[in-house]
Amino acid sequence: MGHLISSTSMLQAAREQDFGITAFNVHTLEMLQAVVEAAEDTNTPLILQTTVGTVKHLGPEYIVAAAQTAAKQASVPIALHLDHCTDYELLVQCIRAGYTSVMIDASMYPYEENVRRTQEVVKVALAAGVNIEAELGKVGGVEDDIVVEEEDARLAVPEECAAFVEVTGVPTLAPAIGTAHGIYKGEPKIAFDRLEQIYKQVGVPLVLHGGSGIPEEQVKRCVKQGMAKMNVATELRIAFSNAIKDVFTANPNENDPRKYMVPAKHAVKELAIRKMEMAGCIGKANAVR
């Protein structure tokens, strides 16, 4: 492809054609390489994501440089997204660095304040040709330093979602439908009736947060009802970390990072392909160009 692209057209195509694009949170160069190789090997469109914590850990310029290098070498479309950002200044910094999609998360505020903060970002991001994602309701669990207690996880209201998209002009929406960040204690209780109403009333692509550990049939049902993007974070970290632990269990004196990073990368790649299959985006690179 040669360069990173905005995810707006990718996600619109995915919604129209009933598949979901997997968005993977990456924290190291090896994790980034692993999901790009998974996409390249299977001719699949890809969204790379970083949390605010990872941006602060590595710096947006380093992340963008690595993602741009991947896009230059890959034949599939790749976007770079900033996940769950509450800080306007950091959002602008990431857009300037070269991110092609950003999420403004003002879901912890009352509706009107969420609208105001989202409008502010929409103005800047659209001018830069960057996709914007916003959230309505609250997705439970932990995402970096944003903690939402389960009883506080408020489901999105369909009519509110429609009005929100209309008034903000936001091109993608993450409605809270009962999923959670992290690994589920039991089976997730997704409010499919509510999702169906949101799908009918909202014309833009929807985003499924908390994609780690949702059973395959539930993922497929979500995708059928407009979830054009599925976020995967925790499961990827676990696969990466467990592969490294296995190396040290077998050889506690190992001190060559390549010896443990190669199996870690392989584990992430395998898991990424399974998630891509689940969302139905394998082989869809040409469908979103």
Side-chain angles (χ1 to χ4, degrees):
M1 284 296 286
H3 58 92
L4 293 168
I5 65 167
S6 164
S7 55
T8 305
S9 58
M10 293 168 86
L11 296 171
Q12 285 167 345
R15 173 169 169 142
E16 282 160 21
Q17 295 168 55
D18 286 341
F19 64 89
I21 296 175
T22 35
F24 297 105
N25 280 37
V26 295
H27 304 275
T28 70
L29 179 61
E30 288 82 5
M31 290 179 87
L32 186 149
Q33 288 173 324
V35 297
V36 170
E37 283 175 25
E40 190 69 359
D41 287 1
T42 56
N43 195 36
T44 300
L46 173 68
I47 299 173
L48 295 167
Q49 289 191 165
T50 60
T51 62
V52 168
T54 300
V55 170
K56 288 176 178 171
H57 174 61
L58 296 176
E61 289 79 10
Y62 274 103
I63 295 164
V64 169
Q68 282 174 341
T69 301
K72 202 180 293 176
Q73 293 177 358
S75 62
V76 297
I78 300 176
L80 176 62
H81 176 73
L82 174 66
D83 199 19
H84 280 285
C85 188
T86 57
D87 178 353
Y88 178 78
E89 297 307 321
L90 187 67
L91 266 162
V92 172
Q93 194 187 340
C94 286
I95 290 170
R96 285 202 182 115
Y99 274 70
T100 57
S101 178
V102 293
M103 178 185 186
I104 170 65
D105 184 359
S107 60
M108 66 290 299
Y109 295 105
Y111 176 81
E112 293 303 337
E113 182 64 7
N114 190 348
V115 165
R116 191 190 68 74
R117 286 172 181 257
T118 301
Q119 282 172 331
E120 206 174 31
V121 173
V122 167
K123 210 184 304 174
V124 175
L126 288 187
V130 166
N131 183 64
I132 311 99
E133 184 182 313
E135 185 171 310
L136 261 189
K138 293 193 183 99
V139 176
V142 179
E143 178 75 29
D144 265 5
D145 51 359
I146 301 170
V147 181
V148 178
E149 296 302 333
E150 274 169 43
E151 54 269 31
D152 287 343
R154 192 172 60 80
L155 297 181
V157 178
E159 292 73 18
E160 224 174 55
C161 289
F164 184 85
V165 168
E166 182 71 31
V167 75
T168 60
V170 76
T172 43
L173 181 72
I177 54 156
T179 57
H181 298 121
I183 295 295
Y184 296 93
K185 294 180 188 82
E187 191 155 300
K189 295 179 179 64
I190 297 175
F192 285 107
D193 304 354
R194 191 169 295 231
L195 175 55
E196 193 177 356
Q197 291 307 311
I198 295 169
Y199 176 50
K200 283 177 179 166
Q201 294 186 41
V202 176
V204 301
L206 304 173
V207 179
L208 181 64
H209 278 251
S212 289
I214 300 178
E216 185 164 1
E217 65 281 3
Q218 292 197 21
V219 168
K220 287 181 168 163
R221 205 171 154 190
C222 285
V223 168
K224 269 266 174 281
Q225 294 182 335
M227 290 293 192
K229 173 177 182 258
M230 178 174 82
N231 291 1
V232 181
T234 309
E235 264 184 290
L236 224 54
R237 285 208 315 262
I238 291 170
F240 185 77
S241 303
N242 283 349
I244 293 172
K245 287 174 193 170
D246 288 346
V247 171
F248 282 112
T249 300
N251 184 3
N253 298 319
E254 183 56 71
N255 61 15
D256 182 346
R258 291 163 298 186
K259 291 279 169 56
Y260 50 83
M261 284 301 189
V262 170
K265 189 173 155 183
H266 186 67
V268 168
K269 182 177 174 179
E270 277 191 347
L271 177 61
I273 292 172
R274 286 206 303 277
K275 291 292 180 182
M276 289 165 172
E277 283 168 348
M278 221 181 258
C281 54
I282 295 267
K284 299 284 190 185
N286 297 333
V288 305
R289 292 189 196 279

